[in-house]
Amino acid sequence: MKKTCIAMLLAGGQGSRLYALTQSVAKPSVPFGGKYRIIDFPLSNCANSGIDTVGVLTQYRPLQLNSYIGSGQPWDLDVNNGGVYILPPYQSAGEKGSWFSGTANAIYQNLAFIENYDPENVLILSGDHIYKMDYADMLRDHLEHDAACTISVLQVSLEEATRFGMMNLGEDGYIKEFEEKPKHPKSDLASMGIYIFNWPKLRQYLIADDADPNSRHDFGHNIIPAMIADGEKIWPYHFQGYWRDVGTITSLWDANMDMLSPDLINLYDPNWPISARSPICPPHQTGPHAEISHSIVTEGCEIDGHVENSVLSPSVRIDVGANVLYSVLMNGAVVEAGATVEYAIIGENAVVRAGAHVGAAPDGSEGWSVATIGPDVEVRPGASVPAGAMISKSEEV
Amino acid sequence: MNDFQGLIFAYFTNPNLRELINVRTAASLPFCGRYRLIDFSLSSMRNAGIYDVGVIMQRDYQSLLDHLGGGKAWDMARRSGGLRMLPPFGLPEYHRGNYSGTMEALIAVGSYIQDIQSKYIVLLLGNMVANIDLTKPMKQHRRSGAEITAICTDRGGDGFRMTYVPGEDGFVKQLLVDTDDPKAGPVSLEGYIINRDTLLRMIDECRRQRIYLWHREALPRFLEQGGKMDCYVHTGYCALIRSVDSYFKANMDMLNPAIRHELFPADLPIFTKVREEVSTYYAEGAYSRNSLVADNCIVEGSLENCVVFSGARIGKGAQLKNCIVMSDCIVGRDSSLDYCIVDKDVSFSAGTVLTGSEKLPFVVPKGSKL
């Protein structure tokens, strides 16, 4: 049956800059903001925007992501004639089969999936962004401007512009030039990596791109510049609101801290719920010595220590006399009696034993950064992990 | 195919639950910050692989239906079988008002039971708080040759009323009603595993003889006729919720980590309908000790010995002690509540003071605006 718009969610990235946190899971399934995993944001946005067909392109360590998404029921994406589909790379008869070699190639390899739904438009999403966005509004904008492609753009400062793909507009408001990480930016409109394409047009460009041996098969590097060169109508959708790329430890920590400020992004808005697959634990318990301030806590947690300015995922345990400050504790993390965790990210099921000390407050020095303890790591009693350290399972302290 | 199907009695509206059952049956009473009582019997069945379950309801079941939905939360939304709602149907013309007893409820859903193909039926109360590994009594029932296996507890307590006296052969000799003395024998959790044929025979006899009471009439007759009845003793936490007192006490029991861990072990999860997904925020200056707090709350005031359900807003300077606060309540600034059971959607304006006592917690009815 014909669809107006379906979504393709790129969730195959390794997230190598999150190293210890993504050794055994794909970046989109990293816990975020207490109850969520990163992928909950684009999936919930789809559901809230009325997009009921989502292909999730996986490649790197997809096991946890697959089981997390499951039937798509938590996002109401378990529907007839649509729903959420995990799309791994695959082999065809007589061919060698290959990994996705770029963002555009991942979509190209799944032409058959898209053609099943014969959509008029395809929304391309990234699995590592934190934001709330009405894709239906973007689609209206796309259709109104008769665009071959609409790119969601965000106003950034000129200093930040050097880290993004920047869009230069013509007098008619359409995008005339795309510069990847320019040294001397000409505009302040950054691409958010969210695209809506007219499907027949995109199909044509994907096929041409696949035939080009010199292409990196990437939307930002190849497809969009090719469309611009051909004079296709490319419209900027001006997004206003909270949006963060959480590709690095610092940005992941920052964005988690933002969840404590409803002025930045309000997760309590019943009109735009972000949904997650719940582990269904009993409510969190505060013990007889608990002190919790300016923090978010969720189901299954047991808190008897001191927690300040922190974000706790389900089933975190903080024992009596422990101090947790400005930190992100992922599912099942444990901080034992008398231990201190500050300015740190503690991975899933990691244990900080009694009296240990992880991280340090910013001291103004240039080398300072957030300390990271990978999933399942045990920090031994009394051990000390300095600021900026990243400990993974193979190098326990 | 599973040899077992389930039936849950969810029609009780015991008057001792007072205002709490104005809008619901005991089985749909909110519990422990996020559950409904019926989650325990449903999850026990689900964890034992029983996915075909009938829920016997009679009146005031809107809240129960909202909670159960299609049964998805307990994996009971099935193509064949699954969760079945059993409101009264095909009632005899002499029927008036409430079911006068369990036997009458069974007679009322007799045609559903007729259609059950499984050999055995598990009967549980919807207002029971216990996480029973039913695979054990199911196994025992298959082996013992008993027609009925009564599920019992080794702990007495408020809400328990029956004790089984075993005979020399180990099978039940006598049923003591209004006794919960563990010395006399196993105390009944009022759950049973019964052969389908036995249950159908009892329903048929009792319908013809207008016998409506299970424990006082039907079971004693079964024993008199030489029926074989065995006991299985469940050893974990359990409570039967039949009064405001037992409701308050069982909720407060959940503040004890040892009891809570016993009731919610990782390998026998209690499933429930999932509400909105957002964490609870503690503001600067908030205070929360020895309390259970569900998600989606914003706490600016102080909580001590409280069970708080999702969506609560606890204003600055508000002080809550020994309270149960159900979903979506708003407690205004500087309010002070002690020993209160606050039903859903209640809002207290700033500075409200309400004090109950341990023996008589103050029940604030659903939707009140104070």
Side-chain angles (χ1 to χ4, degrees):
Chain A
M1 194 213 270
K2 200 165 173 60
K3 296 258 180 193
T4 308
C5 188
I6 71 168
M8 298 295 273
L9 206 168
L10 299 162
Q14 178 183 352
S16 52
R17 288 170 299 168
L18 296 179
Y19 183 67
L21 298 175
T22 52
Q23 273 192 318
S24 58
V25 299
K27 183 158 63 170
S29 61
V30 169
F32 181 85
K35 293 217 64 134
Y36 313 108
R37 291 177 188 266
I38 295 169
I39 199 169
D40 288 328
F41 286 81
L43 282 181
S44 300
N45 286 337
C46 281
N48 293 337
S49 305
I51 292 174
D52 65 4
T53 308
V54 184
V56 180
L57 299 134
T58 61
Q59 174 152 289
Y60 175 80
R61 296 268 182 190
L63 177 63
Q64 196 184 26
L65 193 59
N66 292 355
S67 62
Y68 185 73
I69 293 173
S71 66
Q73 189 263 337
W75 306 271
D76 285 336
L77 289 170
D78 53 338
V79 294
N80 290 313
N81 180 39
V84 56
Y85 292 85
I86 304 279
L87 304 170
Y90 61 90
Q91 216 171 10
S92 309
E95 286 174 30
K96 221 174 144 204
S98 63
W99 298 105
F100 298 147
S101 56
T103 51
N105 178 256
I107 306 296
Y108 175 79
Q109 288 201 34
N110 286 288
L111 282 180
F113 171 80
I114 299 174
E115 280 169 353
N116 244 347
Y117 293 98
D118 188 20
E120 289 159 25
N121 303 282
V122 173
L123 167 67
I124 308 289
L125 299 171
S126 175
D128 50 7
H129 297 161
I130 304 299
Y131 63 113
K132 298 201 292 188
M133 180 170 168
D134 185 357
Y135 303 136
D137 192 53
M138 179 173 172
L139 180 62
R140 269 192 298 277
D141 211 24
H142 171 75
L143 296 175
E144 256 170 42
H145 293 91
D146 191 30
C149 170
T150 296
I151 303 176
S152 189
V153 296
L154 188 74
Q155 212 166 9
V156 297
S157 67
L158 288 179
E159 300 87 76
E160 285 179 295
T162 54
R163 297 192 292 116
F164 289 100
M166 301 305 293
M167 303 291 158
N168 302 330
L169 309 189
E171 279 175 10
D172 56 1
Y174 286 87
I175 294 169
K176 295 296 186 245
E177 194 184 359
F178 174 89
E179 288 182 291
E180 188 70 25
K181 296 180 183 148
K183 284 207 178 75
H184 305 288
K186 292 181 218 152
S187 91
D188 59 356
L189 294 177
S191 166
M192 297 160 62
I194 299 165
Y195 315 106
I196 295 179
F197 288 96
N198 171 288
W199 170 239
K201 280 258 159 53
L202 176 62
R203 189 175 181 282
Q204 182 190 320
Y205 277 91
L206 286 174
I207 292 169
D209 177 73
D210 186 63
D212 177 1
N214 298 319
S215 173
R216 289 163 67 177
H217 308 301
D218 183 87
F219 280 105
H221 280 101
N222 307 106
I223 303 289
I224 309 241
M227 288 181 123
I228 292 175
D230 291 352
E232 297 285 359
K233 285 164 109 174
I234 303 188
W235 181 254
Y237 173 72
H238 295 267
F239 176 76
Q240 280 167 345
Y242 183 89
W243 177 87
R244 293 290 184 281
D245 181 313
V246 289
T248 65
I249 291 292
T250 307
S251 62
L252 181 66
W253 180 85
D254 272 339
N256 267 290
M257 291 298 130
D258 289 345
M259 297 302 119
L260 297 173
S261 307
D263 307 344
L264 289 173
I265 179 167
N266 182 8
L267 300 172
Y268 294 87
D269 176 8
N271 297 318
W272 203 268
I274 304 299
S275 301
R277 186 177 289 280
S278 167
I280 318 194
C281 313
H284 72 264
Q285 174 165 40
T286 55
H289 311 95
E291 290 169 3
I292 311 174
S293 172
H294 192 48
S295 295
I296 56 179
V297 184
T298 185
E299 59 186 289
C301 290
E302 298 192 324
I303 316 294
D304 205 16
H306 177 88
V307 180
E308 210 178 301
N309 289 280
S310 293
V311 173
L312 274 49
S313 288
S315 300
V316 165
R317 200 184 88 207
I318 298 174
D319 293 345
V320 62
N323 279 296
V324 174
L325 310 164
Y326 293 93
S327 292
V328 178
L329 277 66
M330 297 181 175
N331 308 41
V334 174
V335 182
E336 289 188 346
T340 296
V341 171
E342 49 184 342
Y343 295 88
I345 298 176
I346 310 293
E348 291 185 66
N349 301 313
V351 183
V352 179
R353 294 279 178 219
H357 195 121
V358 175
D363 53 6
S365 71
E366 202 148 289
W368 179 90
S369 68
V370 168
T372 310
I373 304 295
D376 302 313
V377 169
E378 180 185 343
V379 178
R380 291 191 211 294
S384 184
V385 176
M390 188 185 271
I391 313 290
S392 59
K393 183 70 186 153
S394 53
E395 48 198 19
E396 277 181 320
V397 288
Chain B
M1 192 188 138
N2 200 329
D3 277 348
F4 291 83
Q5 284 208 22
L7 270 178
I8 295 175
F9 299 102
Y11 63 86
F12 300 111
T13 48
N14 195 308
N16 289 335
L17 284 163
R18 307 201 321 246
E19 298 90 338
L20 294 175
I21 45 150
N22 282 352
V23 287
R24 57 173 80 87
T25 66
S28 70
L29 272 171
F31 183 74
C32 187
R34 76 174 302 181
Y35 304 93
R36 302 281 182 148
L37 294 182
I38 197 169
D39 293 337
F40 291 95
S41 45
L42 280 171
S43 300
S44 292
M45 289 182 177
R46 187 250 171 238
N47 290 335
I50 302 172
Y51 296 102
D52 299 337
V53 175
V55 178
I56 302 177
M57 43 186 78
Q58 191 183 22
R59 358 190 302 181
D60 299 325
Y61 49 63
Q62 185 58 47
S63 135
L64 192 60
L65 292 179
D66 286 349
H67 180 66
L68 296 176
K72 176 80 190 160
W74 304 271
D75 299 327
M76 290 180 188
R78 317 291 283 197
R79 180 157 291 194
S80 64
L83 190 68
R84 286 286 176 278
M85 316 297 172
L86 304 173
F89 58 94
L91 280 181
E93 54 188 57
Y94 53 78
H95 186 270
R96 300 269 184 280
N98 292 332
Y99 291 140
S100 45
T102 305
M103 201 63 230
E104 186 175 21
L106 288 167
I107 293 169
V109 300
S111 60
Y112 171 82
I113 298 172
Q114 283 274 342
D115 290 341
I116 289 179
Q117 300 298 312
S118 309
K119 208 170 158 194
Y120 312 106
I121 298 172
V122 179
L123 310 173
L124 289 178
L125 296 189
N127 53 334
M128 164 195 86
V129 179
N131 189 350
I132 304 172
D133 180 0
L134 284 171
T135 58
K136 292 174 185 166
M138 283 157 64
K139 200 168 161 189
Q140 180 180 322
H141 185 80
R142 276 179 202 271
R143 287 184 179 172
S144 67
E147 291 175 84
I148 302 179
T149 299
I151 299 171
C152 301
T153 162
D154 58 347
R155 307 177 190 187
D158 184 31
F160 298 97
R161 334 175 275 191
M162 325 283 168
T163 304
Y164 301 102
V165 182
E168 281 164 13
D169 58 357
F171 290 103
V172 174
K173 182 177 72 181
Q174 198 193 350
L175 167 59
L176 301 176
V177 179
D178 296 326
T179 304
D180 63 347
D181 179 9
K183 279 180 215 130
V187 175
S188 178
L189 257 175
E190 299 180 43
Y192 298 89
I193 298 175
I194 183 166
N195 293 357
R196 169 183 174 273
D197 295 345
T198 307
L199 182 60
L200 285 175
R201 196 184 70 228
M202 288 171 77
I203 287 174
D204 191 46
E205 278 179 27
C206 292
R207 179 193 285 121
R208 279 190 277 111
Q209 300 182 31
R210 300 199 177 180
I211 288 174
Y212 301 137
L213 304 180
W214 173 259
H215 290 103
R216 286 168 203 270
E217 298 177 303
L219 274 187
R221 276 170 57 94
F222 169 82
L223 292 172
E224 273 163 34
Q225 291 166 0
K228 254 185 163 179
M229 183 168 168
D230 194 9
C231 286
Y232 167 80
V233 180
H234 169 68
T235 53
Y237 178 85
C238 61
L240 294 179
I241 308 303
R242 289 196 160 106
S243 64
V244 170
D245 278 358
S246 55
Y247 176 75
F248 186 76
K249 180 176 180 300
N251 271 287
M252 290 298 149
D253 282 346
M254 296 303 115
L255 295 176
N256 178 335
I259 292 180
R260 202 174 62 252
H261 292 161
E262 185 179 54
L263 193 60
F264 299 97
D267 55 345
L268 289 175
I270 299 297
F271 298 92
T272 189
K273 185 172 109 174
V274 175
R275 271 181 55 128
E276 62 281 271
E277 299 287 357
V278 56
S279 303
T280 278
Y281 172 70
Y282 286 96
E284 259 169 82
Y287 178 95
S288 171
R289 287 206 172 153
N290 199 36
S291 293
L292 280 165
V293 186
D295 287 335
N296 192 20
C297 295
I298 298 180
V299 181
E300 297 175 278
S302 100
L303 302 170
E304 201 174 333
N305 305 327
C306 291
V307 176
V308 181
F309 288 72
S310 70
R313 301 287 180 265
I314 310 294
K316 227 176 186 151
Q319 296 203 339
L320 281 70
K321 281 184 186 172
N322 311 303
C323 289
I324 299 169
V325 180
M326 296 187 202
S327 304
D328 302 321
C329 290
I330 299 170
V331 181
R333 300 171 74 100
D334 302 317
S335 294
S336 169
L337 308 177
D338 196 4
Y339 286 108
C340 292
I341 300 175
V342 184
D343 209 322
K344 285 176 71 170
D345 297 319
V346 169
S347 63
F348 296 101
S349 54
T352 309
V353 177
L354 270 182
T355 309
S357 73
E358 188 172 3
K359 292 274 173 259
L360 194 66
F362 197 104
V363 179
V364 184
K366 182 175 172 181
S368 306
K369 308 270 176 259
L370 282 93

